[in-house]
Amino acid sequence: ILDNNLDVRNIIARATLAAKQCKGQYMIHEARYTEELRAKIIREQNIINEMEHALETGEFVVYFQPKYELDHCRPSGAEALVRWKHDDGTLTPPNDFIELFEKSGLLLSLDLYMFERVCRAQRKRLDRGLACPPVSDISSPFFWASADIPD
């Protein structure tokens, strides 16, 4: 602790945050609280604070990545990939939020959200008389859906 003006509560909080960085990593024998660690924690907390609202307002978008049969060089299905599209149009990739959904207990909510979106896409294709190759999601072990790739 370089700041002698910090109270004991803040010193303990910072030491605890630093120690959490070592959890489960048995080859790391020391941890330090840094401003980079503080910035990371603040970024993660901001994401966690926005997650439920983003689910409610439909900020998550499904991107369909085609899967191909190499023997026949044709599409055989797709994977449903999630992206977080903010109100300002910027996209947050899943590696920035999936782990936070897991930690916060909201991953199942995201899975159900994605399942519903994929099923809606499937329903639209069926209503238009189009085929529905299977669609799966690789971002979560809980999600799997059979749906179609939208036009």
Side-chain angles (χ1 to χ4, degrees):
I1 303 297
L2 301 175
D3 184 353
N4 292 331
N5 296 321
L6 282 177
D7 61 28
V8 174
R9 179 181 294 149
N10 279 324
I11 292 171
I12 292 171
R14 289 181 178 192
T16 302
L17 290 172
K20 284 183 180 179
Q21 303 307 301
C22 295
K23 187 174 183 177
Q25 299 184 35
Y26 302 106
M27 298 306 291
I28 297 176
H29 303 290
E30 71 176 55
R32 296 177 186 263
Y33 179 86
T34 63
E35 284 306 310
E36 291 82 20
L37 176 60
R38 181 179 180 275
K40 177 185 175 213
I41 291 166
I42 289 172
R43 261 192 325 274
E44 288 179 354
Q45 191 57 53
N46 287 337
I47 290 172
I48 289 169
N49 292 343
E50 295 175 19
M51 289 186 316
E52 285 189 63
H53 176 73
L55 281 169
E56 292 169 6
T57 59
E59 292 182 22
F60 294 95
V61 181
V62 179
Y63 281 74
F64 293 92
Q65 178 174 300
K67 292 170 28 179
Y68 284 88
E69 286 182 25
L70 295 178
D71 293 343
H72 302 97
C73 294
R74 65 178 180 191
S76 63
E79 292 173 336
L81 307 175
V82 63
R83 300 294 182 267
W84 188 344
K85 187 174 183 179
H86 300 275
D87 292 335
D88 63 3
T90 59
L91 291 176
T92 300
N95 58 324
D96 289 354
F97 62 85
I98 292 292
E99 185 178 331
L100 297 175
F101 267 82
E102 290 172 347
K103 287 180 184 177
S104 68
L106 285 173
L107 187 59
L108 184 56
S109 296
L110 180 61
D111 288 339
L112 293 173
Y113 175 96
M114 289 290 290
F115 183 76
E116 182 179 321
R117 295 303 186 273
V118 170
C119 288
R120 284 182 187 176
Q122 177 186 31
R123 181 78 258 167
K124 284 181 185 178
R125 298 243 341 156
L126 288 172
D127 290 347
R128 293 179 9 218
L130 300 171
C132 293
V135 173
S136 61
D137 174 68
I138 60 169
S139 66
S140 169
F142 302 112
F143 179 89
W144 186 87
S146 177
D148 193 25
I149 306 164
D151 287 342

